[in-house]
Amino acid sequence: MKADPAGVLTGVHYLDGDYACGEGAMAAGCRFVAGYPITPSTEVVERISRRFPMMGGTFIQMEDELASMAAVAGAAWTGTKCMTVTSGPGFSLMMENIGLATMMEAPCVVVNVQRGGPSTGLPTMVGQADMMQARWGSHGDYELIALSPQSPQEAFDLTIEAFNLAETWRVPVMFMMDECVGHMTEKVVIPPADQIEIVPRKLTSKPPGEYKPYEVNGRPVPEMVRAGDGYRFHTTGLTHDERGYPVMSVECQEVSVRRLIDKIRLNADQIVRYEEEDVDGAEVVVVAYGITARVTRAGIDLARAQGVKVGFLRLVVVWPFPERRIRELAGKVKAFVVPEINYGQMVLEVERCAGGKAPAVLVPHGGGGVHDPRAICQAIVEAAR
Amino acid sequence: MTEKRPTRTEIRITGFGGQGVVLSGHIIGRACAVNAGMHATMIQSFGPEARGSACSTTLAVSDTEVLYPYIGRPDVFVVMSSEGWEKFGNELKDDGTLVYERDLVKVQPKPGQQAFGVSSTRIAEELGRPIVQNIVMLGFFAAVTRIVPVERMREAVRESVPKGTEELNLKAFDAGVAAFDESYAGGAKAAAPAPVGS
Amino acid sequence: MSTEVETPVRPEEHPIAPYLRMDRMPHIWCPTCGIGTVVKCFATALGEAGVDLDKTAIVSGIGCTGRVAGYMNLDAFHATHGRAIPFATGLKLGRPELEVVVFSGDGDLSGIGGNHFIHAARRNMDLLVILVNNFIYGMTGGQNAPTTPETARSSTMPFGNFERPFNLPHLAASCGATFVSRWTCLHIRRLTACIRTALGRKGFRFIEVIAPCSTLYARLNRLGSGLALMKFYHDNSEIKHGADTREVDIGFQERFICGNFIDQERPTFLDMMHAHYSQVLGDRYVPMKPEGGWLHD
C-alpha cells in the first residue's frame, strides 16, 4: 500500500542522517516509538517526538533501553508499527528483548547509530564495531536482518525498507547507522506519499478458534493477529509449538528454531541487497558499508589512477550476507579488500565465503574517525600485486 | 579520458555557542545542495557546546558527490570568536580565504591568504536584534565567496529561519552583503576576489 | 446406609473454565502453592466486573507466577524476566483501548523489574499489576528475593537474610500508584472483590497477594505445610483499610497488615498526554485512535 500522507514530509530538505531516519520511520507508518536518550542517536527521537503528536503517533521516553525494547516488542502485537533507537551501550541492553522479539516473531525496527566502543567508548564519534552484535548479540540461535545506510538520503529510504522487511519476514530489523552518517547533513529528497510503497501488517483471514499463532503450512512466516481482536492467542519467549504454547522438547526446539533460521537463510536471495560497480574483470573487489563505503570510493578512485582494476561491492543489507555473490567473485579476483571501522568483523564473512580462493584483506580503523582514502588505496594496490 | 576535475571547497565556521554557528553552516549547505544543485555535506562538531564555549561546523561542497565527509585544511575559514581563531586559525590553506568578525577577533592572516572582516555584531545590534549576527555574517560570506549566487543563499536563509522571523533575517543578510560592497567591492581596499573553489 | 458421592464437576464445566486455557491443564504449580487461588480470584473478578475479555490482555514475566499469562484465555504474553511492565506499556500505548493486566511474581516485578515498576507507577501508566509475593525465587529453587523477610532463610541466604526487604505497597504508593492493596490467598472473597474494583479503576493499580510456597520458602524455614501457612495468615493478618503504607512492612513470621490502602483518581499517562497536547497544540493534535495507529488498506 501507499504511505499515509500524514507521516510524509514531502519536499527537498537539508537534513542530518538522524533526522532523515526519523522521517523515514514516520513515512513508513511508524506510530509508536519507545526510546532512551543516547548520543549520537537522540536526534532521531527528538525529531519524532516533535512530529508524532500531529499524526496520531505516541513517543514514550522509557526508563532505560531494556524497557524501550520490551515496550516495542509489546507494541508490535497491536498492529501499530514501532521502533526504538539507540547506540552501542543501549544496544547491549536491548539484546535481551531483541531476542524476545525474534522468538515471538514481533515485527519492529531497532536503530543503532554506532559510535566508538567498547563500553562508553567515544559517545560523539563514529564506529562500525557493532556489526557482529547486530547479528548474534542476543543469546541463542537466530537470524535477523540488518541494513546499513551510507548517507542521510539512504537513512530515509532504507528506514522505510527496514519497516517493510520487518513486516514481510516478521523479524526485528537492525538499522545499523553510524555516527558519521547520523550527524552528517545533506540533501534529502522525500517523495510524495503516493510514491512510497509500504508493506502493511498482514493479518490472518482465519476466524478465532481456527487460528494458531505459529502455524505456517509451508509458508516461511506465520500469519499474525493483533491483541484486542478476539483471538485470545498466546505467545512466549519459551520454545513453543504452533499454538504458541511452551514445549520443552528437543523436537519442538528443532522445529521452531530451525524455522526462525530458515525463514531468513532459505530466503536470503529475496532479502540480500548490494550495489556493484565495475566488478566484472576486476583484480580486486572492495567490500564496504555505511560511511566507509563512501570513503572507500574515494580510495578506489586513487587506486584506479594507479592503474589497478578495482571493483566495488557495497553492502546495503548487511545481514543476511551476500554469500553466494562473494563465493562467485572469489573465483575471479585476486583479493578482496574490506575497510571497516573496527578490527575485523564483516571481513570474517568475506573470508568465510571466499573459502580460501581469494584472500580477504582487512583495512581496519579503531573508530573515532573514518579511513584515510589513501590507506584504502594502498591496501588495494598491495592486494593487486 | 578527459574527466572534469571535480571542484571541492572546504569550509570551517567557528564561533562561540549561541552565535548560531550550526545554523550558518546549515544555511550554506542548504543553499549549495538544495538551492544551487551542488553537493554539500555538513558536519557539526559534537562537544560541550554550552552557550559561550567554542563551537565549530564544517562543510565540504562539491560539484560531484562528497565521498569524504570531513575536511582537511579549509579553503574558507569563517571565524566569529577569538577562541575559534586560536584553535583553528593555523588550519586555513595558504591561499585560503578568511572571513571574520572584525570587532571580536584579531586575525593574523599569512601572506597569500585573503582576509575579509565585518562588524557583524555591531550591524546586528543596529538592526535591533544582536541574535541575527550570524545572518549578517552569512550575507557577508555570500558576497565574499560567491560560492553560490547571493540570491540562492538568500533563499536558503528564508527557508531555514524560524517562521515569522524571515523579514528580520533577510534584512540582516542584506546588511551583510551591503557591508561587503561598502568595504571591499566598491572601495579601493581590495579587488573583489574570484569565486572560491574554481 | 450408603453415602452417595456426588459426581465431581468435570474440569471443563468449572465456572472459571471459560477464562482458562483448559488445553494447558494441568498447570505446573506445586500442590499447596497459592498462585492458583489468586488465578481463581482473578478469573472470577473478570467475570464479575464484566470486562470485554476480547479487549483484555495479560502479560507475565518469568517465574512461577510468570506462568499465569499462559493459562489465561485472553490475549496473553509471556515476556522476558522483569520486563512484563514495559512490554505491557507497549501494548497499552500501541492500542489504547486495551485493558492490560500484568500478573507476575515478587522477584520478577520488584527485583529485576524494579526500575520498570517504579517508573510505570510514577507515570501512572494505565495497568493493573497483580504481584504474587511468596517471599522467594520459587522457580529457580528458593533464592533470596527483594521481599524475603529479615532472618528468613533462602537457598542463597542459608544463614538467614540480613538484607532489608521492600515494603511493596509503600513502594507503589510513594511512586504514585492510584490503587494499592494487599491480601493473602486466604482472603478469596476480599481479593476477588479487590480485583473487581481495581478493574473498574484507571491508572497504575497495584495488588500484592501474599501466597505460600511450601516447596521452598516453608521448607527452608521449617514453617510446615501450605495449610500451616494459610493458618498463619488466618491468625496473623490484620485487615486495616486505608492503613498508612509506611506501616505495612512484613517481618519474618510476624503479624502483618492487609487491606485496601489507596484508591484515588489521578490522570493516567495517556490522560496527561492528551490534555497537554490538546492544550498546547490545539487542533493540530491528532491523538492515536483507541484501536491503535495501525495502517491498513
PDB file of all heavy atoms in Angstrom, chain A residues 81-97:
ATOM      1  N   LYS A  81       2.904   0.072  13.937  1.00  0.00           N
ATOM      2  CA  LYS A  81       4.323  -0.113  13.601  1.00  0.00           C
ATOM      3  C   LYS A  81       5.193   0.617  14.615  1.00  0.00           C
ATOM      4  O   LYS A  81       4.884   1.754  15.004  1.00  0.00           O
ATOM      5  CB  LYS A  81       4.610   0.398  12.196  1.00  0.00           C
ATOM      6  CG  LYS A  81       3.972  -0.471  11.134  1.00  0.00           C
ATOM      7  CD  LYS A  81       4.519  -0.116   9.763  1.00  0.00           C
ATOM      8  CE  LYS A  81       3.830  -0.977   8.708  1.00  0.00           C
ATOM      9  NZ  LYS A  81       4.405  -0.739   7.385  1.00  0.00           N
ATOM     10  N   CYS A  82       6.274  -0.016  14.997  1.00  0.00           N
ATOM     11  CA  CYS A  82       7.013   0.522  16.129  1.00  0.00           C
ATOM     12  C   CYS A  82       8.522   0.372  15.963  1.00  0.00           C
ATOM     13  O   CYS A  82       9.007  -0.446  15.191  1.00  0.00           O
ATOM     14  CB  CYS A  82       6.542  -0.142  17.415  1.00  0.00           C
ATOM     15  SG  CYS A  82       6.579  -1.932  17.335  1.00  0.00           S
ATOM     16  N   MET A  83       9.225   1.174  16.737  1.00  0.00           N
ATOM     17  CA  MET A  83      10.673   1.282  16.579  1.00  0.00           C
ATOM     18  C   MET A  83      11.302   1.742  17.890  1.00  0.00           C
ATOM     19  O   MET A  83      10.650   2.403  18.694  1.00  0.00           O
ATOM     20  CB  MET A  83      10.948   2.318  15.489  1.00  0.00           C
ATOM     21  CG  MET A  83      12.390   2.686  15.281  1.00  0.00           C
ATOM     22  SD  MET A  83      12.612   3.724  13.808  1.00  0.00           S
ATOM     23  CE  MET A  83      12.597   5.348  14.539  1.00  0.00           C
ATOM     24  N   THR A  84      12.558   1.398  18.065  1.00  0.00           N
ATOM     25  CA  THR A  84      13.341   2.029  19.121  1.00  0.00           C
ATOM     26  C   THR A  84      14.675   2.447  18.515  1.00  0.00           C
ATOM     27  O   THR A  84      15.046   1.988  17.433  1.00  0.00           O
ATOM     28  CB  THR A  84      13.530   1.128  20.347  1.00  0.00           C
ATOM     29  OG1 THR A  84      14.193   1.882  21.372  1.00  0.00           O
ATOM     30  CG2 THR A  84      14.357  -0.104  20.037  1.00  0.00           C
ATOM     31  N   VAL A  85      15.354   3.341  19.215  1.00  0.00           N
ATOM     32  CA  VAL A  85      16.548   3.981  18.668  1.00  0.00           C
ATOM     33  C   VAL A  85      17.606   4.042  19.759  1.00  0.00           C
ATOM     34  O   VAL A  85      17.295   4.404  20.898  1.00  0.00           O
ATOM     35  CB  VAL A  85      16.216   5.414  18.202  1.00  0.00           C
ATOM     36  CG1 VAL A  85      17.435   6.069  17.587  1.00  0.00           C
ATOM     37  CG2 VAL A  85      15.062   5.419  17.215  1.00  0.00           C
ATOM     38  N   THR A  86      18.846   3.717  19.406  1.00  0.00           N
ATOM     39  CA  THR A  86      19.883   3.717  20.428  1.00  0.00           C
ATOM     40  C   THR A  86      21.272   3.779  19.797  1.00  0.00           C
ATOM     41  O   THR A  86      21.421   3.953  18.597  1.00  0.00           O
ATOM     42  CB  THR A  86      19.745   2.470  21.332  1.00  0.00           C
ATOM     43  OG1 THR A  86      20.586   2.630  22.477  1.00  0.00           O
ATOM     44  CG2 THR A  86      20.110   1.193  20.594  1.00  0.00           C
ATOM     45  N   SER A  87      22.279   3.642  20.662  1.00  0.00           N
ATOM     46  CA  SER A  87      23.658   3.477  20.226  1.00  0.00           C
ATOM     47  C   SER A  87      24.267   2.357  21.076  1.00  0.00           C
ATOM     48  O   SER A  87      23.590   1.814  21.953  1.00  0.00           O
ATOM     49  CB  SER A  87      24.423   4.785  20.378  1.00  0.00           C
ATOM     50  OG  SER A  87      25.723   4.648  19.822  1.00  0.00           O
ATOM     51  N   GLY A  88      25.525   2.034  20.824  1.00  0.00           N
ATOM     52  CA  GLY A  88      26.157   0.847  21.401  1.00  0.00           C
ATOM     53  C   GLY A  88      25.754   0.437  22.812  1.00  0.00           C
ATOM     54  O   GLY A  88      25.234  -0.655  23.015  1.00  0.00           O
ATOM     55  N   PRO A  89      25.988   1.307  23.815  1.00  0.00           N
ATOM     56  CA  PRO A  89      25.672   0.870  25.181  1.00  0.00           C
ATOM     57  C   PRO A  89      24.202   0.487  25.357  1.00  0.00           C
ATOM     58  O   PRO A  89      23.885  -0.475  26.067  1.00  0.00           O
ATOM     59  CB  PRO A  89      26.025   2.094  26.021  1.00  0.00           C
ATOM     60  CG  PRO A  89      27.080   2.804  25.230  1.00  0.00           C
ATOM     61  CD  PRO A  89      26.676   2.606  23.794  1.00  0.00           C
ATOM     62  N   GLY A  90      23.321   1.210  24.707  1.00  0.00           N
ATOM     63  CA  GLY A  90      21.904   0.881  24.776  1.00  0.00           C
ATOM     64  C   GLY A  90      21.570  -0.361  23.971  1.00  0.00           C
ATOM     65  O   GLY A  90      20.704  -1.151  24.341  1.00  0.00           O
ATOM     66  N   PHE A  91      22.286  -0.527  22.863  1.00  0.00           N
ATOM     67  CA  PHE A  91      22.092  -1.716  22.013  1.00  0.00           C
ATOM     68  C   PHE A  91      22.380  -2.975  22.835  1.00  0.00           C
ATOM     69  O   PHE A  91      21.668  -3.968  22.735  1.00  0.00           O
ATOM     70  CB  PHE A  91      23.038  -1.607  20.818  1.00  0.00           C
ATOM     71  CG  PHE A  91      22.664  -2.443  19.624  1.00  0.00           C
ATOM     72  CD1 PHE A  91      21.363  -2.447  19.117  1.00  0.00           C
ATOM     73  CD2 PHE A  91      23.622  -3.198  18.968  1.00  0.00           C
ATOM     74  CE1 PHE A  91      21.041  -3.202  17.987  1.00  0.00           C
ATOM     75  CE2 PHE A  91      23.308  -3.949  17.838  1.00  0.00           C
ATOM     76  CZ  PHE A  91      22.015  -3.949  17.349  1.00  0.00           C
ATOM     77  N   SER A  92      23.426  -2.892  23.662  1.00  0.00           N
ATOM     78  CA  SER A  92      23.751  -4.039  24.520  1.00  0.00           C
ATOM     79  C   SER A  92      22.569  -4.375  25.430  1.00  0.00           C
ATOM     80  O   SER A  92      22.220  -5.543  25.600  1.00  0.00           O
ATOM     81  CB  SER A  92      24.992  -3.741  25.367  1.00  0.00           C
ATOM     82  OG  SER A  92      26.133  -3.649  24.538  1.00  0.00           O
ATOM     83  N   LEU A  93      21.960  -3.338  26.022  1.00  0.00           N
ATOM     84  CA  LEU A  93      20.824  -3.594  26.917  1.00  0.00           C
ATOM     85  C   LEU A  93      19.612  -4.116  26.159  1.00  0.00           C
ATOM     86  O   LEU A  93      18.803  -4.849  26.709  1.00  0.00           O
ATOM     87  CB  LEU A  93      20.446  -2.319  27.667  1.00  0.00           C
ATOM     88  CG  LEU A  93      21.451  -1.787  28.686  1.00  0.00           C
ATOM     89  CD1 LEU A  93      20.848  -0.612  29.446  1.00  0.00           C
ATOM     90  CD2 LEU A  93      21.875  -2.864  29.666  1.00  0.00           C
ATOM     91  N   MET A  94      19.485  -3.724  24.908  1.00  0.00           N
ATOM     92  CA  MET A  94      18.307  -4.140  24.141  1.00  0.00           C
ATOM     93  C   MET A  94      18.358  -5.596  23.705  1.00  0.00           C
ATOM     94  O   MET A  94      17.351  -6.158  23.280  1.00  0.00           O
ATOM     95  CB  MET A  94      18.145  -3.251  22.914  1.00  0.00           C
ATOM     96  CG  MET A  94      17.643  -1.882  23.268  1.00  0.00           C
ATOM     97  SD  MET A  94      17.456  -0.874  21.804  1.00  0.00           S
ATOM     98  CE  MET A  94      16.919   0.654  22.577  1.00  0.00           C
ATOM     99  N   MET A  95      19.550  -6.169  23.785  1.00  0.00           N
ATOM    100  CA  MET A  95      19.720  -7.515  23.239  1.00  0.00           C
ATOM    101  C   MET A  95      18.738  -8.509  23.834  1.00  0.00           C
ATOM    102  O   MET A  95      18.238  -9.401  23.150  1.00  0.00           O
ATOM    103  CB  MET A  95      21.153  -7.998  23.472  1.00  0.00           C
ATOM    104  CG  MET A  95      22.138  -7.363  22.520  1.00  0.00           C
ATOM    105  SD  MET A  95      21.650  -7.739  20.817  1.00  0.00           S
ATOM    106  CE  MET A  95      22.231  -6.287  19.996  1.00  0.00           C
ATOM    107  N   GLU A  96      18.454  -8.365  25.129  1.00  0.00           N
ATOM    108  CA  GLU A  96      17.537  -9.291  25.798  1.00  0.00           C
ATOM    109  C   GLU A  96      16.196  -9.363  25.059  1.00  0.00           C
ATOM    110  O   GLU A  96      15.709 -10.439  24.722  1.00  0.00           O
ATOM    111  CB  GLU A  96      17.322  -8.794  27.234  1.00  0.00           C
ATOM    112  CG  GLU A  96      16.298  -9.554  28.009  1.00  0.00           C
ATOM    113  CD  GLU A  96      15.939  -8.839  29.300  1.00  0.00           C
ATOM    114  OE1 GLU A  96      15.346  -7.747  29.250  1.00  0.00           O
ATOM    115  OE2 GLU A  96      16.260  -9.372  30.379  1.00  0.00           O
ATOM    116  N   ASN A  97      15.617  -8.200  24.793  1.00  0.00           N
ATOM    117  CA  ASN A  97      14.282  -8.198  24.203  1.00  0.00           C
ATOM    118  C   ASN A  97      14.294  -8.190  22.685  1.00  0.00           C
ATOM    119  O   ASN A  97      13.251  -8.408  22.073  1.00  0.00           O
ATOM    120  CB  ASN A  97      13.454  -7.061  24.794  1.00  0.00           C
ATOM    121  CG  ASN A  97      13.206  -7.329  26.273  1.00  0.00           C
ATOM    122  OD1 ASN A  97      12.536  -8.306  26.617  1.00  0.00           O
ATOM    123  ND2 ASN A  97      13.804  -6.530  27.133  1.00  0.00           N
TER     124      ASN A  97
END
